[in-house]
Amino acid sequence: MRGPADGHSAVGGLVLDTERRAGRSQALVLLLASCLPVLGSVLLAPVLPAIQAFASTPGASVLAPIVLTAPALMIGLTAPFAGRVVERTGRKRLLVFGLVAYGIFGTAPLWLPTLELVVASRVLVGVAEAAIMTCCTTLLADYFHGEQRQRYFGLQTVCTTVAATLFFALGGLLGNQGWRTPFWLYAASLPLALMAVRYLWEPAERQERAGRVALAWRLLAAPIGVTLVGGLVFYTLIVELPYVLGGVGVESSATIGMISALASLATAAGAFLFTPLAHRGPGVTVTLAFLLSGIGLAVLALAPNTPLVIVGAAVTGLGNGLLLPSLVTWALGRLTFAQRPRASGMWTAALFIGQFVCPLVVLALSAAISGLSSALLAIGALSFLLAVVTRAVRSTDAKPVLADG
């Protein structure tokens, strides 16, 4: 093994690169790459009706929405496996592979002749997104520490939130040129792959300790479980805000888009709020996030007019923006280098499964308890309950501890 004199040292059974220090270039690549799964989930929403032009395809009315939702489902199903692949192949290598695959499969619908093949390509996009999200989150935790890590986790939410707003608008504009045109934007991952090759490096060259490192389940169980439900709470605003606005008489697409953009800005503001609060630990940040989201959802459920809907959306967005960096910091904050890939994959899976089931849960609640307002109140109450549950959690800003299995 090479010694410290040649720029490497052994820490916890790992050979680490001690000469390189991550900075803005590495953060920029990882933050931009983190936006790609958002592109997959919102870019195509404006062109879904046009995709249903495959009217002659059996089940087209079912397959067309799956074009939008398949990537999120695949992230939820495959992200834990991506974490295991990271252990074998390394962070950087899998990220570059995921970015290239994303560009290839993402642009494939530009020339695919059938709706079934388009859906298949979207499934493969979801697998690539699982690799990208797992590697980006893991590398942010590897490269940065303490306040820097907290700041970049907050910026990760800011970037993805702003990207969602921009991609939704771009999808609508490009969709005017035909439903296939927005798929060109998936090629953006290819220059990002080149940037990853140029600016990123593998934090650890190899593991000296034989065998798989055990996960610290006593540290992971609570944040993963809360993230699963937190994904549902987070996505409720995104999915249901247009329906709430319709319920108070707002029919203009432009007005709905503007109010949705305001909610996105509130989410970005909540993510910025995380950094000054992070030192208080998840007992404060996660609790406050769920309280704000719960209050906002209750206001949305009971709002009789558009101004109050805007207030409810803003408060919910503020809580949502604080929620994601709080949850990922809670999940990864006390794990060792070797534990982070699988833990990051599991956290990503929990978040996206929660988001995927959100519309189904809202529909089921609406049918069971008399309408959308009651469903939103129920999810708001669930958010309050999660705030109570997480209040007892201590700060995880302490140094990493070894897993005990």
Side-chain angles (χ1 to χ4, degrees):
M1 180 181 69
R2 290 178 292 180
D6 57 13
H8 295 78
S9 64
V11 178
L14 299 171
V15 179
L16 303 179
D17 189 329
T18 57
E19 288 183 339
R20 295 181 175 179
R21 303 190 69 175
R24 292 180 179 177
S25 297
Q26 290 70 39
L28 180 63
V29 174
L30 296 173
L31 293 175
L32 289 176
S34 296
C35 295
L36 295 178
V38 176
L39 183 147
S41 64
V42 304
L43 179 68
L44 303 180
V47 298
L48 272 185
I51 293 176
Q52 292 182 359
F54 286 100
S56 60
T57 302
S61 61
V62 175
L63 289 175
I66 292 176
V67 170
L68 183 64
T69 60
L73 177 61
M74 293 310 299
I75 292 173
L77 294 178
T78 62
F81 301 101
R84 293 183 182 275
V85 175
V86 168
E87 293 177 340
R88 297 177 180 274
T89 66
R91 282 102 156 125
K92 176 181 175 178
R93 183 179 300 175
L94 183 60
L95 177 58
V96 172
F97 176 82
L99 290 169
V100 173
Y102 181 95
I104 293 172
F105 297 126
T107 56
L110 288 167
W111 54 80
L112 291 175
T114 67
L115 185 54
E116 292 91 345
L117 288 175
V118 171
V119 171
S121 73
R122 300 294 290 165
V123 169
L124 294 173
V125 165
V127 176
E129 288 177 345
I132 291 168
M133 281 298 297
T134 300
C135 292
C136 286
T137 302
T138 302
L139 283 169
L140 283 173
D142 290 339
Y143 284 165
F144 304 103
H145 306 279
E147 292 184 3
Q148 258 195 327
R149 177 190 291 172
Q150 293 159 2
R151 182 169 68 254
Y152 283 124
F153 276 153
L155 285 174
Q156 190 180 34
T157 302
V158 172
C159 290
T160 55
T161 300
V162 173
T165 305
L166 294 176
F167 290 151
F168 195 95
L170 279 173
L173 291 173
L174 293 175
N176 289 331
Q177 309 303 316
W179 70 266
R180 294 183 189 268
T181 307
F183 288 97
W184 279 112
L185 287 181
Y186 285 85
S189 68
L190 300 178
L192 275 177
L194 295 177
M195 291 174 65
V197 171
R198 170 67 177 82
Y199 292 108
L200 303 184
W201 63 86
E202 191 64 30
E205 292 186 346
R206 63 183 175 88
Q207 253 181 274
E208 289 188 325
R209 182 168 51 191
R212 183 181 298 162
V213 176
L215 283 179
W217 283 107
R218 61 187 177 86
L219 300 176
L220 265 179
I224 294 297
V226 172
T227 297
L228 181 64
V229 188
L232 185 155
V233 172
F234 177 89
Y235 213 53
T236 298
L237 175 66
I238 298 170
V239 173
E240 303 303 330
L241 180 57
Y243 296 101
V244 174
L245 288 167
V248 296
V250 177
E251 298 180 356
S252 167
S253 298
T255 302
I256 292 173
M258 182 181 66
I259 295 173
S260 297
L262 289 174
S264 292
L265 290 175
T267 302
F272 278 117
L273 184 63
F274 170 73
T275 300
L277 291 175
H279 70 282
R280 305 291 298 274
V284 171
T285 57
V286 178
T287 299
L288 179 59
F290 278 123
L291 281 175
L292 288 170
S293 294
I295 292 170
L297 289 172
V299 173
L300 283 174
L302 301 174
N305 53 51
T306 302
L308 278 178
V309 170
I310 294 173
V311 171
V315 175
T316 307
L318 196 66
N320 286 351
L322 179 60
L323 182 61
L324 292 192
S326 300
L327 287 173
V328 70
T329 302
W330 181 18
L332 303 184
R334 297 190 67 190
L335 300 183
T336 63
F337 177 90
Q339 294 164 350
R340 287 184 200 129
R342 272 184 293 155
S344 177
M346 293 179 63
W347 182 85
T348 301
L351 178 68
F352 278 86
I353 289 174
Q355 292 184 10
F356 180 79
V357 302
C358 173
L360 304 177
V361 171
V362 173
L363 282 173
L365 288 173
S366 297
I369 52 177
S370 304
L372 178 58
S373 293
S374 298
L376 292 177
L377 278 175
I379 297 175
L382 176 62
S383 190
F384 285 126
L385 177 62
L386 288 170
V388 172
V389 169
T390 56
R391 181 64 186 93
V393 177
R394 292 185 175 182
S395 171
T396 58
D397 224 13
K399 65 180 180 179
V401 296
L402 291 176
D404 56 12

